[in-house]
Amino acid sequence: MSVSIDDDRLTVELMDGRAISVPLAWYPRLANASQAEREHWELAGAALIAWIQGIHWPDIDEDLSTEGLLQGARAPRVPTPPPCA
């Protein structure tokens, strides 16, 4: 499994040969992270078997699941509070 991130896209190559590429803007923590923080990732979940549960970026406390990436799931949006009257 490999992960690459440029200024616009997150690309994950899975162990079975599939590649998932999504807009980096879908994941604000990754989009706002430094290149060093983006490159410091680790496998999460069942790393000792063929199916990997996800990817974890410890420096920014971001986790993405393989299933979510395959489904095209974006990061949850944080609601914006209404303006004060």
Side-chain angles (χ1 to χ4, degrees):
M1 180 171 190
S2 69
V3 175
S4 61
I5 304 173
D6 62 28
D7 289 337
D8 301 312
R9 302 199 71 73
L10 164 66
T11 303
V12 179
E13 292 186 23
L14 302 176
M15 292 178 172
D16 64 5
R18 290 180 287 175
I20 306 164
S21 185
V22 297
L24 188 59
W26 286 9
Y27 308 104
R29 285 185 188 176
L30 285 173
N32 293 319
S34 69
Q35 191 61 33
E37 291 169 327
R38 293 175 184 174
E39 292 174 1
H40 183 209
W41 59 272
E42 52 196 37
L43 299 177
L48 299 177
I49 59 174
W51 185 253
I52 304 302
Q53 297 296 318
I55 308 160
H56 175 65
W57 285 265
D59 297 338
I60 59 172
D61 194 28
E62 178 71 295
D63 295 282
L64 300 180
S65 73
T66 305
E67 181 179 355
L69 288 169
L70 287 167
Q71 293 175 356
R74 299 177 184 211
R77 295 182 188 209
V78 177
T80 304
C84 295

